[in-house]
Amino acid sequence: MMQEIWKKIKRQEFAPVYLMYGQESFLINETKQLLIQTALNPEEEDFNLSTYDLEEVSIELAIEDAETIPFFGDRKVVVLQNPFFLTSEKTKSKVEHDVKRLEAYLNEPSPYTIIVFTGSYEKLDERKKITKEMKKNAEILEAKKLNEQELKNWMKQRASYNKVELDNDALDSLLSIAGTNLFLLTSEVDKMALYVQDSKLITKEIVEELAAKSLEQNIFALVEKIINKRIDEALRIYYDLLKQNEEPLKMLAIITNQFRLIYQVKALSKTGYGQQQIASVLKVHPFRVKLAAGQANRFTDEELTRCISMFAEADYQMKTSGMNKTMIIEMILFKLGQANRNA
């Protein structure tokens, strides 16, 4: 659906009203920027581009702007953020909106204005008349979080846009290292595309050399080293994070969350849940569930319970005792390494 909307925009086949909503804000912003850049010349933006926050400004005022003839050029773009009246979500906004005024506009929109509604809402309230009218009269972009295959397709397309290629091993490696944040993945592909201008191919080795690891991904790598009984390499990652001024307490919290995720994935898998269902229940990206499922196979339930208890005790020590926080995590890593050697 998104690709079709982009194709229409590039052909300058504009809808009078767009509604872009969902939790993948990067896709919403990319689509909005493409629309603005295609609909208006740079010199027109100062006069014919308006942005309103509907938690602060009434819809009536925004529609008045939309119905005003463009000052220069053939059209204007009016961006309306946070249309909370399309949802059932509670808001602190005290602005009252005359949605009947909006209903009338949707049925007879201005011929020279493009209105763009944007909101980071997971879903709309389909029971409301204004939502039904919006879905009937507007071009809709529901920006859901992309699944693993969609993320890979996005990275391939981004590489192609930069006139380079990503091989399959590089795709897997980039997801593992950089995570599933679309903005970060796009930034990494753009960076690597500049690096491979001669060969035009981004390989796994290039990804491993250049990709910036988040703290969470470094912790995931640390856990992976523990599982594979490489305690010296786990300690090396830990010491590197300390050099980057990462807080031991924060690192412990992420390590604990990773082991808790492994435990939950293992438990839900036993009940017959698939990875997509588990991701929905735990509210995490399916790719994280896939990785955790692979790690879960290396632990018994008892081992995972023991690890989580050990982390809870370490957290208590960090917060209440005078022990060196850095040494507390070192001791945990040594204990885990010893446990693996005895297994």
Side-chain angles (χ1 to χ4, degrees):
M1 184 64 178
M2 182 191 69
Q3 296 299 333
E4 285 302 311
I5 292 174
W6 282 21
K7 286 177 183 176
K8 288 181 183 178
I9 291 173
K10 288 175 181 177
R11 293 197 299 263
Q12 297 202 357
E13 297 174 6
F14 304 117
V17 180
Y18 291 86
L19 170 60
M20 306 177 189
Y21 75 97
Q23 295 184 308
E24 189 51 84
S25 56
F26 181 76
L27 288 179
I28 292 173
N29 192 58
E30 287 284 288
T31 308
K32 180 185 72 176
Q33 291 304 319
L34 175 65
L35 179 59
I36 292 169
Q37 291 165 7
T38 309
L40 302 175
N41 295 324
E43 59 271 17
E44 294 175 338
E45 288 188 19
D46 287 341
F47 304 100
N48 292 334
L49 173 62
S50 305
T51 301
Y52 298 94
D53 184 341
L54 294 175
E55 291 186 346
E56 299 177 359
V57 176
S58 72
I59 190 67
E60 301 96 287
L61 184 63
I63 290 175
E64 281 181 25
D65 186 351
E67 291 177 337
T68 304
I69 296 173
F71 191 64
F72 284 117
D74 298 326
R75 65 177 67 89
K76 64 197 303 184
V77 177
V78 178
V79 179
L80 306 182
Q81 301 168 341
N82 304 316
F84 61 88
F85 47 78
L86 297 174
T87 77
S88 57
E89 294 188 15
K90 293 182 179 178
T91 176
K92 295 178 180 178
S93 174
K94 295 181 180 179
V95 179
E96 293 289 334
H97 294 286
D98 181 2
V99 292
K100 290 191 179 299
R101 179 80 172 85
L102 176 57
E103 288 172 17
Y105 182 89
L106 290 172
N107 285 290
E108 197 173 343
S110 167
Y112 39 72
T113 299
I114 301 168
I115 286 187
V116 185
F117 289 89
T118 66
S120 58
Y121 310 114
E122 185 176 0
K123 57 184 179 180
L124 306 178
D125 189 341
E126 305 282 352
R127 298 166 299 179
K128 292 184 175 181
K129 183 182 178 184
I130 185 58
T131 305
K132 293 174 182 176
E133 288 293 319
M134 182 70 73
K135 296 198 82 170
K136 184 172 74 173
N137 292 287
E139 183 85 73
I140 308 293
L141 170 66
E142 184 180 0
K144 294 180 179 179
K145 291 288 185 182
L146 303 187
N147 62 33
E148 180 183 352
Q149 190 55 53
E150 288 168 338
L151 285 170
K152 288 181 178 180
N153 290 340
W154 174 272
M155 289 189 285
K156 284 181 180 178
Q157 290 167 5
R158 191 69 185 189
S160 178
Y161 170 79
N162 285 300
K163 297 181 172 55
V164 300
E165 291 182 28
L166 267 162
D167 68 27
N168 289 331
D169 288 341
L171 287 169
D172 289 331
S173 184
L174 188 51
L175 273 179
S176 297
I177 292 173
T180 57
N181 182 294
L182 196 53
F183 174 79
L184 292 177
L185 287 172
T186 302
S187 176
E188 289 296 332
V189 172
D190 290 349
K191 176 178 71 179
M192 291 175 203
L194 290 173
Y195 184 80
V196 298
Q197 282 304 302
D198 291 335
S199 67
K200 303 293 185 186
L201 179 65
I202 300 172
T203 63
K204 178 181 179 181
E205 291 71 27
I206 289 169
V207 169
E208 291 176 344
E209 180 183 351
L210 296 183
K213 289 184 180 179
S214 66
L215 175 58
E216 287 76 8
Q217 295 305 317
N218 273 306
I219 295 298
F220 180 88
L222 186 150
V223 171
E224 192 70 23
K225 298 300 183 186
I226 294 169
I227 293 170
N228 290 305
K229 305 178 183 180
R230 297 176 180 172
I231 191 64
D232 54 334
E233 294 180 26
L235 283 164
R236 195 173 303 130
I237 293 172
Y238 175 56
Y239 295 140
D240 284 344
L241 291 172
L242 288 174
K243 288 177 185 176
Q244 296 168 30
N245 296 316
E246 296 291 355
E247 283 290 327
L249 189 59
K250 184 178 179 183
M251 284 192 269
L252 178 62
I254 297 174
I255 292 171
T256 304
N257 286 338
Q258 181 60 31
F259 271 86
R260 190 176 290 119
L261 176 64
I262 293 169
Y263 181 86
Q264 291 170 322
V265 168
K266 188 177 183 69
L268 288 171
S269 295
K270 285 182 178 179
T271 65
Y273 278 57
Q275 290 184 6
Q276 198 70 39
Q277 289 174 295
I278 294 173
S280 179
V281 169
L282 300 181
K283 292 182 168 42
V284 297
H285 196 281
F287 187 70
R288 283 193 64 200
V289 172
K290 176 183 174 181
L291 296 177
Q295 292 178 326
N297 292 330
R298 309 291 294 276
F299 290 99
T300 65
D301 292 347
E302 292 75 18
E303 286 171 337
L304 287 170
T305 302
R306 236 183 354 257
C307 287
I308 293 170
S309 296
M310 192 190 308
F311 301 144
E313 176 61 26
D315 180 78
Y316 179 77
Q317 288 178 342
M318 281 191 183
K319 292 173 179 175
T320 61
S321 75
M323 289 182 65
N324 183 293
K325 294 178 181 178
T326 301
M327 289 183 62
I328 290 174
I329 293 185
E330 282 181 348
M331 289 167 59
I332 287 176
L333 294 178
F334 280 123
K335 282 180 184 177
L336 290 172
Q338 187 65 42
N340 276 332
R341 281 195 291 274
N342 294 337

